[in-house]
Amino acid sequence: MLDRRDFLKNAGLTGSLFALPSLLKAQPDTKTAGGVDLSVITLKGKVQSQGSGIAGVSVTDGINITQTDRSGRYELKSNATAEFVYISLPAGYAIPEEKGIAAFYKPVTKSSTQVNDFNLTKLSVDDRKHNFVVWADPQIISEKDADLLKTQSAPDLKALVASYPAGTLWHGIGCGDLVWDHFELFEDYKQAVEITGVPFYNLIGNHDMDIDARTDDGSAKTFKQQFGPTYYSYNRGDIHYVVLDDVFFIGTAKKYIGYITENQLRWLEQDLATVKPGSTVVVSLHIPTLTGQPKRDKKDEEFGGTVSNRKQLYKLLAPFKVHIMSGHTHFNDNWEEGDMMEHNHGTVCGAWWTGPICGDGTPAGYGVYEVDGSDIKWYYKSTGLPKEKQVRVYAKGRLKDAPDEFCANVWNYDSKWKVEYLEDGVLKGNMEKRVAYDPWAAELYSGPQFPKKHKWVEPTLNDHMFFAKPSAGVQKITVRATDRFGNVYEDTISFS
């Protein structure tokens, strides 16, 4: 991590890292003509563990960032527009939580001076090795959906954690659309998280917004009451984690675009200034910055489907090794360029709790990431299935568009996988990757009569389908998929 004094010297700055936007500059107990309260508030306190201060911890009001001094004390000039004061959890400390929900923030009151201390617990193990999971789109709309989340998804994660050595560090990222517009179900989501035994950081999705808000500024009111700030950072081991709000509500019910505001970008510049170039940074946001869907569907990008100003985000992230975690699409999609990779996850709810798979054939489930220092390995965990299940093979002709071929769905595929097939135990070679529908998804979700629960659900094209034509007389086909880490996964079908 950069020495803060050196950074300020190099940047030619004193005081706060960056100036406030002009509207939000602290003023002496005044209001603008529009009624915005800009009264000066001083935020101060101590970040400590067992009474001893922790130096160099970033503390923010969501606009400016300061860092604690040698004794762990901080002081930040803010104003009455601030909603929270919060920390970027330093490496080596346990995630503060309340019943599984990360608790790293304090609400800002209107008093002129507010004192908030943050008490942290030092870890007894080295957190350079840790795991995390990404729950994209639980998206519960009813008590029945909530029960499935609590009786299927949460126990699945709890069992996965139990399968690892005792003492393994875990945390979760709730990647947006925690509920489906029914805010009374936030409590059910929290209960599910508590069942897992894993502390979760959470971020806002388009179905977690107040759609009766006048503008985007008010659209996160309920979410903030439940989970705190919508953008923040934290550290674990050698990894710096950033959470962003990229769902921009345009003031009309259920209308939004993928967009990162200037306030967030300014804040992120300050946050990343304390991170050593070349470090690994994990960025989580709900709407993906980019996917292959427009190319697959031969359509233009939709404003609500990807982040419109993603190039500005990429510029800020350019000095780092970056993994972007996203949800929203209800399909699995991975892309990589240089030191940046985006993991767009299949969903916890599958196709909105209508069946066991997403529209692209990815099973309902979640991403699992294993961190060792600055290196990250990953796999997709399908709910109710062993973690070794990473490929599904279909018999010849199961996909009507390929009557003479068998096919396989390798849902977490990226460009460094290898997909081969064997006939009666004899390796025949690589399979052909093509854009196609998953046969099972087509059967479950095609047509206005399917599925019964949500008739608008449809199968989606994906580019992780693989095809080959079987030889005459073959009795058994095995598809072998090898991921970038050398893990080998197989699935087999037999011909009668």
Side-chain angles (χ1 to χ4, degrees):
M1 179 171 290
L2 291 175
D3 181 270
R4 176 172 167 75
R5 194 174 294 170
D6 288 344
F7 166 73
L8 293 176
K9 181 179 179 181
N10 293 338
L13 300 172
T14 58
S16 297
L17 292 182
F18 285 84
L20 287 161
S22 59
L23 175 63
L24 299 181
K25 286 181 180 177
Q27 303 291 338
D29 301 326
T30 184
K31 291 186 178 182
T32 68
V36 178
D37 187 353
L38 296 177
S39 302
V40 173
I41 292 177
T42 299
L43 303 171
K44 59 193 300 185
K46 187 175 183 180
V47 182
Q48 58 192 352
S49 179
Q50 295 184 329
S52 297
I54 307 170
V57 178
S58 291
V59 184
T60 182
D61 59 355
I63 301 169
N64 282 331
I65 298 175
T66 189
Q67 288 189 317
T68 56
D69 63 18
R70 292 180 180 179
S71 62
R73 298 192 180 279
Y74 70 91
E75 183 170 324
L76 181 65
K77 292 295 184 182
S78 188
N79 64 61
T81 63
E83 297 177 88
F84 303 99
V85 56
Y86 49 104
I87 64 170
S88 183
L89 180 74
Y93 292 87
I95 296 169
E97 61 173 285
E98 293 181 8
K99 296 183 177 180
I101 303 300
F104 56 94
Y105 61 93
K106 309 280 187 180
V108 171
T109 65
K110 301 307 177 184
S111 58
S112 59
T113 299
Q114 184 173 337
V115 179
N116 283 298
D117 294 338
F118 294 87
N119 297 297
L120 304 179
T121 301
K122 185 75 173 175
L123 289 168
S124 60
V125 296
D126 185 352
D127 64 353
R128 286 178 294 181
K129 281 193 174 185
H130 66 271
N131 299 341
F132 68 94
V133 300
V134 177
W135 266 17
D137 302 71
Q139 204 157 337
I140 49 179
I141 198 174
S142 65
E143 287 294 344
K144 185 175 181 180
D145 290 353
D147 286 342
L148 292 172
L149 184 67
K150 288 185 280 189
T151 61
Q152 295 182 6
S153 306
D156 188 89
L157 175 52
K158 183 177 181 180
L160 178 70
V161 170
S163 71
Y164 279 73
T168 300
L169 293 174
W170 290 84
H171 75 275
I173 299 170
C175 208
D177 282 1
L178 312 180
V179 299
W180 190 352
D181 302 329
H182 286 251
F183 295 158
E184 70 276 8
L185 297 176
F186 276 137
E187 184 58 34
D188 292 272
Y189 170 79
K190 290 180 177 180
Q191 290 171 9
V193 165
E194 190 174 9
I195 289 169
T196 70
V198 173
F200 265 69
Y201 288 95
N202 299 283
L203 58 102
I204 191 168
N206 52 290
H207 286 291
D208 303 316
M209 297 191 305
D210 296 276
I211 58 175
D212 58 351
R214 188 165 74 173
T215 65
D216 181 67
D217 291 341
S219 64
K221 179 181 178 180
T222 302
F223 181 90
K224 290 175 180 177
Q225 291 170 349
Q226 298 287 329
F227 303 102
T230 58
Y231 57 94
Y232 52 90
S233 69
Y234 58 97
N235 301 275
R236 179 148 271 200
D238 295 331
I239 309 297
H240 184 68
Y241 292 86
V242 174
V243 169
L244 296 175
D245 170 8
D246 67 346
V247 185
F248 190 91
F249 177 63
I250 63 171
T252 301
K254 299 190 177 184
K255 297 294 184 180
Y256 55 88
I257 62 174
Y259 180 79
I260 301 173
T261 62
E262 176 64 15
N263 276 356
Q264 286 187 77
L265 292 174
R266 285 183 182 230
W267 172 88
L268 183 59
E269 283 181 305
Q270 300 171 71
D271 179 74
L272 293 176
T274 64
V275 182
K276 182 179 179 180
S279 299
T280 300
V281 176
V282 173
V283 178
S284 297
L285 32 69
H286 179 62
I287 296 176
T289 68
L290 182 67
T291 75
Q293 184 179 27
K295 183 178 180 180
R296 291 191 291 270
D297 292 344
K298 299 179 180 179
K299 295 180 179 178
D300 293 334
E301 285 188 52
E302 296 180 0
F303 283 121
T306 55
V307 176
S308 299
N309 60 338
R310 58 179 173 263
K311 290 184 179 179
Q312 301 306 318
L313 174 63
Y314 295 165
K315 286 180 182 178
L316 295 181
L317 296 172
F320 309 100
K321 297 176 182 177
V322 179
H323 289 270
I324 299 174
M325 308 292 162
S326 57
H328 186 57
T329 63
H330 294 249
F331 56 67
N332 221 67
D333 195 66
N334 297 307
W335 65 265
E336 184 174 15
E337 184 174 332
D339 285 333
M340 183 176 296
M341 184 172 188
E342 181 159 5
H343 310 260
N344 184 218
H345 296 79
T347 59
V348 173
C349 71
W352 297 268
W353 301 105
T354 60
I357 58 175
C358 301
D360 69 333
T362 300
Y366 49 95
V368 182
Y369 297 82
E370 300 172 337
V371 179
D372 186 354
S374 61
D375 295 327
I376 304 178
K377 295 181 179 180
W378 58 87
Y379 61 89
Y380 187 88
K381 176 63 176 69
S382 304
T383 303
L385 297 174
K387 65 181 183 181
E388 293 77 18
K389 182 65 175 178
Q390 298 293 326
V391 56
R392 185 188 307 114
V393 60
Y394 294 100
K396 174 184 172 181
R398 179 82 178 266
L399 185 66
K400 299 190 186 318
D401 292 339
D404 298 324
E405 298 172 294
F406 65 93
C407 61
N409 192 335
V410 186
W411 43 82
N412 209 26
Y413 172 84
D414 63 58
S415 61
K416 291 185 171 61
W417 283 60
K418 181 169 66 173
V419 182
E420 310 165 289
Y421 73 103
L422 298 85
E423 294 183 342
D424 296 328
V426 178
L427 182 63
K428 302 298 288 186
N430 296 331
M431 298 181 69
E432 180 188 359
K433 184 172 78 73
R434 296 207 299 262
V435 172
Y437 291 104
D438 176 89
W440 192 15
E443 294 161 6
L444 287 173
Y445 306 135
S446 291
Q449 74 275 24
F450 296 115
K452 292 182 179 180
K453 185 172 181 177
H454 299 303
K455 294 186 181 299
W456 43 264
V457 173
E458 292 285 342
T460 55
L461 289 169
N462 73 73
D463 55 9
H464 43 73
M465 295 296 301
F466 293 81
F467 294 82
K469 186 177 293 186
S471 303
V474 65
Q475 298 296 307
K476 184 174 71 174
I477 295 286
T478 298
V479 173
R480 176 184 294 165
T482 306
D483 70 12
R484 62 167 62 205
F485 310 114
N487 299 307
V488 179
Y489 308 104
E490 293 185 347
D491 194 28
T492 297
I493 56 170
S494 297
F495 295 87
S496 57

